[in-house]
Amino acid sequence: MKVYFHLNLGGFSNCYLIVNEETNEAIIIDPGHITEELISQIEDNHLKLVAVLITHNHGTHVGGLKTLRKIYNPKIYAADWEVAGNDTTVISGDGKTRIAKMLVRYMILPGHSSDSVVYNIGNILFTGDVLSAGELGSTNSSYSEYILRSNIEQKIYSQLDDVIVMPGHGPPSTLGALKAFNYDLKPLDSNLFKPFM
């Protein structure tokens, strides 16, 4: 498996092209913007685009889907039916499926948005806006933040430290680095709030 990174300059969001080198089949995660470079990479390498995985239905992550669907006929996976209407394969809960002859695990992690999904392929987590290097995904209420934190601790931080995290924005990281340095998810030190004596 190879993973190629493409940046959507319009929203500074990350798009990923995952290639199964044995079958020349490919998956795109979060096509925020479709560039000539991305199309050339698919065409020049004679890749068959079999699926598009959407981490959540925000414009900077799905903006290029319409263009992509004019060129190719991939299966679309998302937790929100509105991503592609009747052409959306709606996923819910946690589960797994085979796409491009690779095992793809998925976890629903609401909080940033109600339809946030994290995908796990090989040793890599594609987290969308749920989690990035150095920070927790944004939320619109303290309850949403609580739900997001709980899900990250239970579903993501329970995995091995060497798992690679490919976020929707920003650089890649590892779970070990996030556990050590993501202060959004560290419990507050109660000593910081003790009165001076």
Side-chain angles (χ1 to χ4, degrees), residues 121-140:
I121 305 173
N123 195 38
I124 303 173
L125 288 176
F126 298 91
T127 60
D129 289 358
V130 163
L131 183 65
S132 63
E135 63 185 7
L136 177 71
S138 63
T139 59
N140 60 10

Side-chain angles (χ1 to χ4, degrees), residues 103-173:
L103 181 63
V104 177
R105 298 180 189 275
Y106 54 86
M107 300 173 274
I108 304 297
L109 269 90
H112 172 70
S113 66
S114 60
D115 68 321
S116 290
V117 183
V118 172
Y119 297 97
N120 176 209
I121 305 173
N123 195 38
I124 303 173
L125 288 176
F126 298 91
T127 60
D129 289 358
V130 163
L131 183 65
S132 63
E135 63 185 7
L136 177 71
S138 63
T139 59
N140 60 10
S141 71
S142 58
Y143 180 71
S144 294
E145 182 178 333
Y146 171 78
I147 294 296
L148 182 56
R149 283 176 180 273
S150 297
N151 279 321
I152 288 171
E153 288 172 7
Q154 292 170 15
K155 296 181 180 183
I156 295 180
Y157 274 24
S158 60
Q159 298 188 39
L160 298 175
D161 286 354
D162 65 348
V163 169
I164 298 164
V165 174
M166 299 292 227
H169 300 274
S173 188

Side-chain angles (χ1 to χ4, degrees), residues 63-128:
L65 187 58
K66 188 174 182 180
T67 302
L68 201 57
R69 293 178 67 206
K70 288 181 180 179
I71 304 168
Y72 304 104
N73 189 29
K75 195 167 183 178
I76 298 158
Y77 294 84
D80 183 354
W81 178 85
E82 291 183 1
V83 167
N86 290 332
D87 293 332
T88 307
T89 299
V90 178
I91 55 177
S92 61
D94 300 342
K96 60 186 175 182
T97 187
R98 291 197 74 77
I99 305 172
K101 302 198 178 50
M102 295 182 284
L103 181 63
V104 177
R105 298 180 189 275
Y106 54 86
M107 300 173 274
I108 304 297
L109 269 90
H112 172 70
S113 66
S114 60
D115 68 321
S116 290
V117 183
V118 172
Y119 297 97
N120 176 209
I121 305 173
N123 195 38
I124 303 173
L125 288 176
F126 298 91
T127 60

Side-chain angles (χ1 to χ4, degrees), residues 23-40:
T23 64
N24 259 18
E25 293 177 307
I27 299 169
I28 289 179
I29 297 180
D30 285 351
H33 180 71
I34 302 304
T35 62
E36 284 185 38
E37 179 187 8
L38 179 58
I39 299 299
S40 294

